[in-house]
Amino acid sequence: MKNMTGGLFGTLLLACLLAAPARAEEVKAGDLIITQAWTRATPKGAKTGGGYLTIENKGTTPDTLLGGSADIAGSVQVHEMSMDNGVMKMRTLDKGLAIQPGKTVKLAPGGYHLMMMDLKSPLKRGDKVPVTLDFEKAGKVAVSLDVQGVGAQAPAGSGDMGGTNMKKM
């Protein structure tokens, strides 16, 4: 009986280990699928924070990420970082970020990202930050950003150690 219990326990443990790894929630909004929503922890007194996620357009028409809002921030804007003659530049995408049909756009460090302005409190590792994204067609979409460590380059468990320009269009 003791061996049977140990064998059952071992089988259950193996099944748990082989199960798909936990991942951030998937949010569907019309033809859009939003995954891997995360942010970095910020030091006390920081007034800005970045937000990162992946948006896939499974539809036949484009949509545009216009910006967003969050209770923890004064505003949420869509930004782009790029290199120009060896100088990193950041700019607000005033007309938003187009998500073309059949394409996936990744907001990640060093490329497109959400910029949370006028933070009301620090972002703490392990927390979840509710953000409402504003799309031209899909409308307002609630997502939750998982707060990773200060220097994180990708969401936990993704295996993606990117950090340069991660946009895919």
Side-chain angles (χ1 to χ4, degrees), residues 31-103:
D31 292 327
L32 302 179
I33 298 174
I34 302 162
T35 57
Q36 297 183 339
W38 66 285
T39 186
R40 292 177 176 146
T42 57
K44 186 176 181 180
K47 291 297 177 191
T48 60
Y52 314 105
L53 46 89
T54 300
I55 307 167
E56 181 180 4
N57 186 343
K58 293 212 173 240
T60 57
T61 59
D63 204 340
T64 302
L65 174 60
L66 302 170
S69 61
D71 289 343
I72 199 164
S75 66
V76 177
Q77 304 170 353
V78 182
H79 283 205
E80 176 185 26
M81 288 186 87
S82 61
M83 293 297 286
D84 184 17
N85 292 325
V87 177
M88 186 170 275
K89 294 187 175 189
M90 184 167 52
R91 68 181 178 104
T92 304
L93 298 179
D94 294 325
K95 295 181 182 179
L97 176 60
I99 316 298
Q100 297 300 326
K103 300 290 181 180

Side-chain angles (χ1 to χ4, degrees), residues 1-7:
M1 185 72 164
K2 190 174 186 181
N3 282 343
M4 188 195 293
T5 305

Side-chain angles (χ1 to χ4, degrees), residues 84-152:
D84 184 17
N85 292 325
V87 177
M88 186 170 275
K89 294 187 175 189
M90 184 167 52
R91 68 181 178 104
T92 304
L93 298 179
D94 294 325
K95 295 181 182 179
L97 176 60
I99 316 298
Q100 297 300 326
K103 300 290 181 180
T104 298
V105 176
K106 188 168 190 170
L107 283 69
Y112 297 127
H113 59 278
L114 299 174
M115 183 59 76
M116 295 177 281
M117 310 293 285
D118 300 317
L119 289 175
K120 297 172 184 168
S121 63
L123 305 178
K124 296 177 186 170
R125 185 179 189 158
D127 285 352
K128 292 188 178 292
V129 177
V131 174
T132 301
L133 303 175
D134 187 15
F135 289 93
E136 185 175 58
K137 293 188 176 135
K140 298 201 180 299
V141 179
V143 299
S144 182
L145 304 178
D146 293 329
V147 183
Q148 306 297 315
V150 173

